[in-house]
Amino acid sequence: MSIPQSGGGPIEHIDQLADYLASGCKPIEEWRIGTEHEKFGYDKATLKPLPYEGPTSIKAMLEGLRDAYGWNPIHEGEHIIGLEMKGANISLEPGGQLELSGAPLATIHQTCDEVNEHLREVQHVANQIGAGFIGLGAAPIWSQDDMPMMPKGRYRLMTDYMDKVGTLGKQMMYRTCTVQVNLDFASEADMVKKFRVGLALQPVATALFANSPFLDGKPNGHKSWRSRIWRDLDPARTGMLPFVFEEGMGFERYVDYALDVPMYFVYRNGEYVDARGQSFRDFLKGKLPALPGEIPTLSDWADHLTTIFPEVRIKKFMEMRGADGGPWRRICALPAFWVGLLYDDLALDAAWDLVKGWDAETREALRVAASVDGLQGQVGKLHIHQLAENVLDISRGGLRRRARPGFSGMVPDERHFLTALEDTVEDGKTPADELLERYWGDWGQDLSRIYADYSY
């Protein structure tokens, strides 16, 4: 999750909130790709999640990366809770999931180089301390009680709040991992079109990357349990946002939505002030119960935007949020999938033509079907497997026309990063399907085998 924002003067007029979002508009030559991915760490000796402290721990991982590779530490109080270097950040999810928030980069070739370098560094330090890392959408065996809590103030506040607004919020916080990509937009109209396509096709990404068929040591009945969790977390801040498809959608409409999402906190002087359930609208008037008389700064607004969790969200860029975490070779496939669709005008038009006739009920039904059945999901006459094949064709064409070469010009574009997804569509098996085959087959229902066979 995000590191607290800083800077920005006081908000004196509500127009500043939409202006903040609009300030992210960039000409196409400045569009970048930011890839984020999370993974579970565990103690190889016990197969238990890494605690924060100890010889085999999250703290040891962060200090090892700092000392061996020159990452700069980020502290909250006396605790090291992240690292930063060259525009990239390493941060901690609530249960110790290690996340790389990559630097904004121009091509997927650069993104994949960054991913590979990071995972090699993680692997090196992990081997030194007896830890392993695995890419899955949900922790397959660990119970909620097994999970540590990282020493970050916002996580204490969120944990206590989750059971008041849903039933699965703590599972999301402590026992899930994702891979997502952050992308730019040129204008308000471009943002709206990308937002609509991204929301409508998020279930296709969920199906292609479905990788969480286990929970509490057994199959859970879903190909993506992580996606299932998001449907019962907090309806005020999650979902498929039907208003995005309505006339009048733009930065101001998103601001109206965000202002109605209850707050979690305000960050002041290194501390998280409890503002759970309170209103940012009241904050704008100086009437926030947590800080009476104060008005927010732009950094408070930036922080609030990070506490909203729809399938696609905007800040000064747009985040695609529907995919499960996965194995090393698939991480670069997600940015390739979305860049091919959204960073080429012909591809974006084709994708919009594919989805513009769907209503809100269809989009939500696809979301559920992708979670339960993955590529085998179906809504009416829409088959997710066929949709995935069509969408991959569109993305492939977008990457070809983008024509960003790699490997000193030996590779003409970025299409090869879709290979893992093309294989998935060809054989009809998501990572979840492969895991279930192993579980019922050569693993003999011994799920502990997953660590040896699927760790990085």
Side-chain angles (χ1 to χ4, degrees), residues 337-352:
F337 177 80
W338 287 114
V339 166
L341 290 173
L342 303 184
Y343 271 15
D344 173 79
D345 284 343
L346 290 177
L348 183 57
D349 287 343
W352 176 236

Side-chain angles (χ1 to χ4, degrees), residues 299-432:
S299 61
D300 294 324
W301 176 238
D303 279 337
H304 181 58
L305 292 174
T306 71
T307 69
I308 302 171
F309 309 130
E311 294 295 285
V312 177
R313 76 178 173 194
I314 56 170
K315 296 185 280 191
K316 291 185 180 181
F317 49 85
M318 182 173 295
E319 301 177 350
M320 302 293 135
R321 298 171 50 82
D324 286 359
W328 192 325
R329 69 182 290 261
R330 295 179 68 88
I331 293 172
C332 301
L334 186 82
F337 177 80
W338 287 114
V339 166
L341 290 173
L342 303 184
Y343 271 15
D344 173 79
D345 284 343
L346 290 177
L348 183 57
D349 287 343
W352 176 236
D353 286 342
L354 183 66
V355 306
K356 65 185 179 183
W358 300 351
D359 58 19
E361 290 74 19
T362 298
R363 293 189 294 269
E364 182 63 27
L366 285 168
R367 181 189 184 203
V368 174
S371 170
V372 177
D373 295 317
L375 285 182
Q376 288 72 48
Q378 181 177 348
V379 174
K381 295 181 179 180
L382 293 174
H383 296 261
I384 294 180
H385 193 167
Q386 183 62 56
L387 279 174
E389 187 172 3
N390 294 342
V391 173
L392 272 180
D393 283 342
I394 295 170
S395 179
R396 191 182 300 112
L399 294 176
R400 176 178 55 79
R401 287 185 294 273
R402 232 173 83 85
R404 298 298 178 91
F407 297 99
S408 300
M410 291 187 292
V411 177
D413 54 46
E414 301 155 310
R415 282 177 291 173
H416 66 284
F417 293 112
L418 295 175
T419 298
L421 303 185
E422 292 166 344
D423 292 345
T424 293
V425 167
E426 182 176 353
D427 63 22
K429 294 180 181 178
T430 66

Side-chain angles (χ1 to χ4, degrees), residues 10-328:
I11 298 171
E12 298 174 346
H13 195 279
I14 195 170
D15 289 348
Q16 290 175 259
L17 306 183
D19 290 345
Y20 175 86
L21 300 175
S23 69
C25 294
K26 297 180 178 68
I28 188 169
E29 60 270 17
E30 295 180 16
W31 289 359
R32 295 294 181 264
I33 305 159
T35 303
E36 303 183 18
H37 59 92
E38 303 161 359
K39 51 270 181 200
F40 293 109
Y42 63 93
D43 187 321
K44 287 182 178 178
T46 65
L47 302 184
K48 291 293 186 180
L50 294 178
Y52 176 73
E53 294 188 287
T56 305
S57 68
I58 290 295
K59 182 179 179 182
M61 279 297 309
L62 294 176
E63 291 177 341
L65 290 166
R66 177 198 64 191
D67 296 342
Y69 298 104
W71 286 84
N72 301 309
I74 300 169
H75 289 88
E76 185 172 313
E78 63 185 22
H79 301 292
I80 182 171
I81 50 91
L83 303 164
E84 59 183 355
M85 182 168 58
K86 298 178 181 177
N89 290 279
I90 296 173
S91 59
L92 304 177
E93 291 297 294
Q97 307 96 310
L98 196 69
E99 177 180 7
L100 175 71
S101 297
L105 300 169
T107 71
I108 303 165
H109 305 290
Q110 295 170 343
T111 291
C112 214
D113 287 345
E114 176 190 60
V115 167
N116 290 336
E117 181 178 9
H118 167 71
L119 291 177
R120 283 192 293 267
E121 291 179 2
V122 167
Q123 196 174 60
H124 173 72
V125 175
N127 286 339
Q128 290 184 324
I129 67 170
F133 280 86
I134 189 167
L136 296 164
I141 298 174
W142 306 326
S143 71
Q144 197 69 32
D145 289 341
D146 287 330
M147 305 309 298
M149 181 192 291
M150 296 298 104
K152 298 178 69 172
R154 68 183 286 167
Y155 295 159
R156 288 191 293 274
L157 293 174
M158 290 174 64
T159 299
D160 293 340
Y161 187 67
M162 283 298 180
D163 287 341
K164 299 178 181 178
V165 291
T167 64
L168 300 178
K170 288 190 290 191
Q171 282 193 31
M172 179 278 291
M173 292 179 64
Y174 292 90
R175 291 198 281 169
T176 65
C177 284
T178 186
V179 55
Q180 69 179 53
V181 61
N182 305 326
L183 300 172
D184 289 314
F185 39 78
S187 63
E188 185 172 50
D190 186 48
M191 178 278 294
V192 170
K193 193 169 186 178
K194 287 174 175 173
F195 208 152
R196 290 170 173 169
V197 167
L199 279 171
L201 292 180
Q202 211 61 222
V204 175
T206 297
L208 285 167
F209 288 84
N211 193 32
S212 47
F214 305 117
L215 192 76
D216 295 325
K218 59 183 183 297
N220 56 43
H222 287 64
K223 301 295 175 65
S224 175
W225 183 254
R226 176 191 164 276
S227 179
R228 169 65 187 89
I229 285 172
W230 284 102
R231 300 203 311 272
D232 199 0
L233 188 151
D234 181 351
R237 69 185 76 240
T238 60
M240 294 287 280
L241 306 188
F243 73 84
V244 171
F245 296 84
E246 296 172 359
E247 188 175 350
M249 172 58 190
F251 293 123
E252 289 186 3
R253 181 66 185 87
Y254 192 81
V255 167
D256 284 341
Y257 158 72
L259 285 174
D260 289 329
V261 175
M263 295 177 66
Y264 281 150
F265 62 84
V266 182
Y267 192 69
R268 286 289 183 274
N269 302 316
E271 300 289 337
Y272 287 90
V273 177
D274 185 355
R276 289 175 294 181
Q278 296 175 25
S279 166
F280 208 96
R281 292 186 190 274
D282 289 342
F283 201 4
L284 290 171
K285 301 172 187 175
K287 296 180 179 180
L288 190 72
L291 293 171
E294 283 200 34
I295 61 172
T297 65
L298 280 174
S299 61
D300 294 324
W301 176 238
D303 279 337
H304 181 58
L305 292 174
T306 71
T307 69
I308 302 171
F309 309 130
E311 294 295 285
V312 177
R313 76 178 173 194
I314 56 170
K315 296 185 280 191
K316 291 185 180 181
F317 49 85
M318 182 173 295
E319 301 177 350
M320 302 293 135
R321 298 171 50 82
D324 286 359
W328 192 325

